[in-house]
Every structure is written in C-alpha cells, then in structure tokens.
C-alpha cells in the first residue's frame, strides 16, 4: 500500500494520540504547550482524558496508540495503569503502543506498569550524549542516566526509539558523529534525528538572536552524516528524520503520514477524525472545562475532502521511502500536473518510477520540503484555499504532526 493511495482505500483501524502536557522542567528550545505537574492537576487530567475519549470516540478498532508530550513518563506507575481504563475492553486490532519517556523518569515500576497495560514501544528523549550540549539545551538528564534508562528499558521486551537532535549552536560535525556512534552502539530498534529549530521566544532562540551563542548553521551535512552512518549500521532510512531496523518503523507515525484517521485527546492534541482535522486548545484549564461541558475548545478546524487528503498524502509521501501512487479519484488536472512534476523529478534524480508508483530517492528525501512547496503550487488555488485555511505546508505539518 502506498502513501497517497491510502486516503481512498478501505479504512484501517484508527490511530490514537494522547497528549500529556506535563513537564518537570523547561528545555531551552521547547515551544510546546506544557503545564506544571501537580498530583491534583494530573488526576484531573486523567479523569478528563477519559471523558474526552467517551465524548469523541465512535467505536472504530484502534490500531496504534502514541502517548506523547510533554513527559508521559512523569506519571506514576498507578497513574499509568489508570490510562488503560480509558479504553474499555480488549483492543484486538492494536499493533503498537508507544510512550515517550524522559531518561530521568524511567523506573522499573513505571516500565512494569506500561508493560502490563500493553505498551509495546518506548521512545527515549536522548537528544545528545554530550554533557555540554545537554546543559545548553537545559535537558536535566546526565549521560549516566541516559545509559541507565536504556538498560532498564532493554530489560523489558519493548521496542526502543532514541530521539537525537543535531545542528545545535556551536556543534561540530565530529560531535554529532560521536552522538550517532554512541546511539548506534546501544543498538536501538529505531532512531529519530531532528534538526534543532529555534522557535519564537524560547530561551535558546533568544540567546542565539542576541548573539550570546553561535548562530544556527545549515543542518544538511549533519543530516547526510546521519544517513550515511545509520545506513551503514543497518538502519533503513524510511522517512526523512526516521531510521529503523527492518519491520521496526513507527506504525503510528506512518499511519498519520498516510492520512489515515487518528483521534487526538488531551490539551493541544491534533486529530484527523470523522471528516475533520482539528486541534484541542493548548490550555489545560480551557480544555478541561470544554470537555466537562461537552463543548470541546477546538482550534484550526478544517473540513476534509478527497483533494486535500490526496495533496497531504503526496506531501508526506515525499518524506517517505514507501512510494506515492496517485489516487484515481484525484482531480484530473491536479493529477496530470503532479505526474508532470514527478516526471521532471525522475529526470533530476529526486524520484524513481517503478511498479506504478513514484519513490523518493535519498537525494529527493533531502529536498522533501522544497518539493512539497512545488506540490502545493501545483494543486490549483480552489483545491488549496478552502475556507478553513489549510493552504500552506507549514500549517499542514503543524496540524498533522502532534
Ligand atoms: S521534555 Fe519535551 S515537552 Fe517537555 S520541555 Fe522538554 S522538549 Fe518540551
């Protein structure tokens, strides 16, 4: 099944995204919404999460669950067990349940609770193995705690992802290489490598803007190095920022990138569900009151249609190795224009055509964002500028990637 074709096919089980807004401290680069954790706030959050599920869920089978944040692993073992009660009964279609964990909060009790409720995959926020950069990013963990957390998780039967970040202010290529080699030596099932983005008024962005830190520099050579080292180590580069051992891709993320439905619950969680794309308000109190009043506070609400889904599936397909097959139901003028573009990208070595599908090459993956802009231009104005405002790639990405 190829990415762009999925928008039209028989609906697979839905994905579920649960957002935990709590963090014990603030990373210097983080622009996500987060709330201060307290026992009362967490208990109230968990109760409201259950209410939101009951309010929104329409009974489809659930194929994947992704619990992100924030810091989901800030919850106690008992609170983690409470989460399972959000979903009544067994989940026979469930193939993957990921929980994002900060190394500091990984404990045997919590992991045992996660294993008991059916979690299959742990994503550890490492970011870097360099103490100096951990401090710069205001990550609270030490290198020893990262290794300790990894060892604890490995003692269970979870699949493991490590998140790494590159292009940090002042980072040299050899330091990034060291991060990659340390990660590879741990032999995780999956690695996500992200280029640092300096957003808005985050402390790191402010310091760089005020020239207190070296300016951010182009991440391309860092990204190329990651591709080279991780491929050599046997990881498949299946999405621009993601590398996996065979059959260890993150199923939840692939599901959303292919434009299948997912229901997001929790403050600031995005959803693509029941013909709409929308985002919960990024405020714990407003979210709580809205759900308890059975009148959820939603933002960026967008009605979905075939053309929008096809366009977004193509854009995200440009970031994946799975290949793009244009849906037959697609508007004919958009379809022809896309095929024309794809042909020119094949000539330039950005894509390959085989078995009725177009596959981004390694070079094409590096240019995915620029190619996406071309796709947006190609879709005619009427199919893009719908009233709800899903007209530009950055907005689309923000809505889709929770
Ligand atoms: S743990 Fe994640 S969500 Fe929390 S402050 Fe750090 S980057 Fe932001």
């Amino acid at each position: 099944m190829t990415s762009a074709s999925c928008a039209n096919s028989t609906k697979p089980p839905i994905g579920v995204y649960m957002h935990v807004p709590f963090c014990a401290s603030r990373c210097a680069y983080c622009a996500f919404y987060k709330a201060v954790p307290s026992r009362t706030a967490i208990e109230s959050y968990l109760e409201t999460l259950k209410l939101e599920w009951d309010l929104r869920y329409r009974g489809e089978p659930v194929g994947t669950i992704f619990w992100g944040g924030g810091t989901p692993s800030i919850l106690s073992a008992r609170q983690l067990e409470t989460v399972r009660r959000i979903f009544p009964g067994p989940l026979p279609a469930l193939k993957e349940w990921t929980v994002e964990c900060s190394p500091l909060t990984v404990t045997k009790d919590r992991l045992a609770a996660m294993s008991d409720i059916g979690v299959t995959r742990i994503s550890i926020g490492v970011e870097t193995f360099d103490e100096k950069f951990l401090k710069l990013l205001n990550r609270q963990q030490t290198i020893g705690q990262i290794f300790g957390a990894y060892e604890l998780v490995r003692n269970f039967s979870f699949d493991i992802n490590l998140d790494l970040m590159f292009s940090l202010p002042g980072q040299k290529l050899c330091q990034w290489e060291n991060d990659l080699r340390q990660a590879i030596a741990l032999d995780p099932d999956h690695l996500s490598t992200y280029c640092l983005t300096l957003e808005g008024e985050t402390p790191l962005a402010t310091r760089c803007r005020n020239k207190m830190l070296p300016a951010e520099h182009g991440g391309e050579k860092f990204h190329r190095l990651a591709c080279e080292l991780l491929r050599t180590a046997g990881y498949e580069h299946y999405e621009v920022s993601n590398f996996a051992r065979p059959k260890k891709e993150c199923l939840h993320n692939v599901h959303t990138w292919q434009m299948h439905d997912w229901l997001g619950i929790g403050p600031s969680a995005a959803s693509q569900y029941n013909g709409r794309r929308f985002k919960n308000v990024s405020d714990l109190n407003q979210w709580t009151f809205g759900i308890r009043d059975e009148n959820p506070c939603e933002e960026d609400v967008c009605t979905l249609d075939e053309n929008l889904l096809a366009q977004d599936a193509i854009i995200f397909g440009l970031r994946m190795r799975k290949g793009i097959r244009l849906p037959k139901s697609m508007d004919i003028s958009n379809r022809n224009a896309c095929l024309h573009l794809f042909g020119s990208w094949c000539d330039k070595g950005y894509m390959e055509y085989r078995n009725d599908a177009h596959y981004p090459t390694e070079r094409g993956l590096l240019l995915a964002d620029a190619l996406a802009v071309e796709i947006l231009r190609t879709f005619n104005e009427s199919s893009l500028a719908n009233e709800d405002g899903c007209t530009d790639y950055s907005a689309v990405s923000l809505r889709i990637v929770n």
Side-chain angles (χ1 to χ4, degrees):
M1 178 95 27
T2 58
S3 44
S5 64
C6 290
N8 277 348
S9 52
T10 315
K11 288 199 162 187
I14 62 164
V16 172
Y17 176 77
M18 296 192 286
H19 189 81
V20 184
F22 304 106
C23 285
S25 60
R26 183 181 175 187
C27 301
Y29 55 90
C30 180
F32 292 141
Y33 168 70
K34 43 204 170 290
V36 178
S38 71
R39 196 189 161 99
T40 323
I42 292 176
E43 295 294 342
S44 160
Y45 158 79
L46 289 172
E47 278 167 27
T48 314
L49 210 57
K50 166 78 178 138
L51 293 175
E52 181 169 21
W53 177 259
D54 293 343
L55 189 65
R56 294 194 187 276
Y57 176 59
R58 293 174 166 240
E60 307 88 343
V62 173
T64 61
I65 302 174
F66 195 104
W67 207 10
T71 312
S73 54
I74 210 168
L75 271 60
S76 67
R78 187 190 58 75
Q79 288 165 337
L80 287 164
E81 278 158 7
T82 309
V83 174
R84 181 60 184 86
R85 293 198 283 277
I86 288 174
F87 313 106
L91 297 168
L94 189 70
K95 287 196 182 137
E96 178 189 276
W97 182 344
T98 301
V99 178
E100 287 184 343
C101 293
S102 121
L104 270 181
T105 52
V106 170
T107 62
K108 209 170 156 188
D109 282 1
R110 285 182 171 115
L111 292 172
M114 289 188 228
S115 178
D116 286 349
I117 63 176
V119 171
T120 60
R121 189 170 176 274
I122 300 289
S123 176
I124 306 177
V126 172
E127 316 314 344
T128 171
F129 290 92
D130 186 313
E131 295 279 8
K132 186 184 89 183
F133 287 119
L134 282 174
K135 212 166 158 202
L136 182 76
L137 299 175
N138 200 32
R139 298 286 300 183
Q140 301 299 304
Q141 69 246 24
T142 62
I143 308 297
Q145 284 163 333
I146 293 173
F147 287 122
Y150 188 89
E151 209 178 304
L152 274 180
V153 178
R154 257 294 169 244
N155 288 335
F156 288 79
S157 55
F158 299 117
D159 287 340
I160 304 182
N161 170 58
L162 299 184
D163 273 353
L164 293 178
M165 206 177 268
F166 61 86
S167 213
L168 309 177
Q171 188 180 35
K172 296 190 175 74
L173 203 57
C174 59
Q175 291 169 314
W176 172 231
E177 180 173 347
N178 185 47
D179 278 351
L180 288 165
R181 291 199 186 282
Q182 299 230 45
I184 291 167
L186 288 173
D187 194 24
D189 306 281
H190 188 287
L191 278 141
S192 299
T193 62
Y194 300 109
C195 183
L196 172 73
T197 45
L198 294 172
E199 292 189 54
E201 296 308 310
T202 59
L204 203 60
T206 308
R207 289 170 70 193
C208 286
R209 220 176 12 250
N210 296 340
K211 304 197 181 341
M212 293 153 73
L213 287 170
E216 197 186 358
H217 47 283
E220 193 178 318
K221 59 183 177 185
F222 287 76
H223 181 59
R224 281 185 194 279
L225 180 66
C227 298
E228 198 183 304
L229 289 184
L230 292 173
R231 231 187 359 251
T232 308
Y235 291 90
E236 189 201 343
H237 188 193
Y238 73 99
E239 195 269 347
V240 171
S241 305
N242 289 286
F243 303 82
R245 293 277 185 224
K247 300 196 189 314
K248 297 290 182 182
E249 296 96 348
C250 176
L251 300 179
H252 179 83
N253 284 343
V254 171
H255 175 91
T256 57
W257 295 330
Q258 290 183 321
M259 295 300 113
H260 297 310
D261 276 6
W262 78 94
L263 173 59
I265 54 175
S268 88
S271 295
Q272 177 166 293
Y273 189 61
N274 196 25
R276 295 188 312 140
R277 201 177 277 164
F278 57 92
K279 187 171 176 282
N280 280 343
V281 65
S282 297
D283 182 288
L284 185 58
N285 287 332
Q286 280 188 49
W287 169 75
T288 304
F289 293 137
I291 297 298
R292 291 186 180 215
D293 277 357
E294 300 191 7
N295 185 20
C297 297
E298 297 171 351
E299 298 169 342
D300 303 333
V301 181
C302 170
T303 306
L304 298 169
D305 62 42
E306 285 292 331
N307 255 355
L308 182 61
L309 283 174
Q311 168 206 290
D312 292 349
I314 293 166
I315 286 171
F316 280 84
L318 291 170
R319 301 177 59 87
M320 287 192 288
R321 274 295 175 83
K322 271 181 179 292
I324 300 172
R325 186 172 286 130
L326 300 179
K328 292 206 168 43
S329 61
M330 203 175 149
D331 173 279
I332 190 73
S333 60
N334 286 337
R335 185 183 168 82
N336 288 341
C338 279
L339 286 173
H340 181 72
L341 255 189
F342 287 1
S344 73
W345 291 344
C346 286
D347 293 343
K348 290 176 183 160
Y350 305 156
M351 273 189 160
E352 284 165 2
Y353 179 73
R354 57 180 188 276
N355 304 329
D356 265 349
H358 288 86
Y359 295 82
T361 59
E362 195 63 37
R363 208 162 146 222
L365 283 185
L366 279 170
L367 295 170
D369 285 355
L371 301 185
V373 172
E374 289 299 307
I375 291 291
L376 281 172
R377 284 207 190 102
T378 297
F379 272 69
N380 61 54
E381 281 302 310
S382 61
S383 69
L384 289 178
N386 69 51
E387 291 163 10
D388 305 315
C390 291
T391 55
D392 72 88
Y393 175 56
S394 57
V396 171
S397 321
L398 278 175
R399 286 187 187 120
I400 292 170
V401 181
N402 288 284

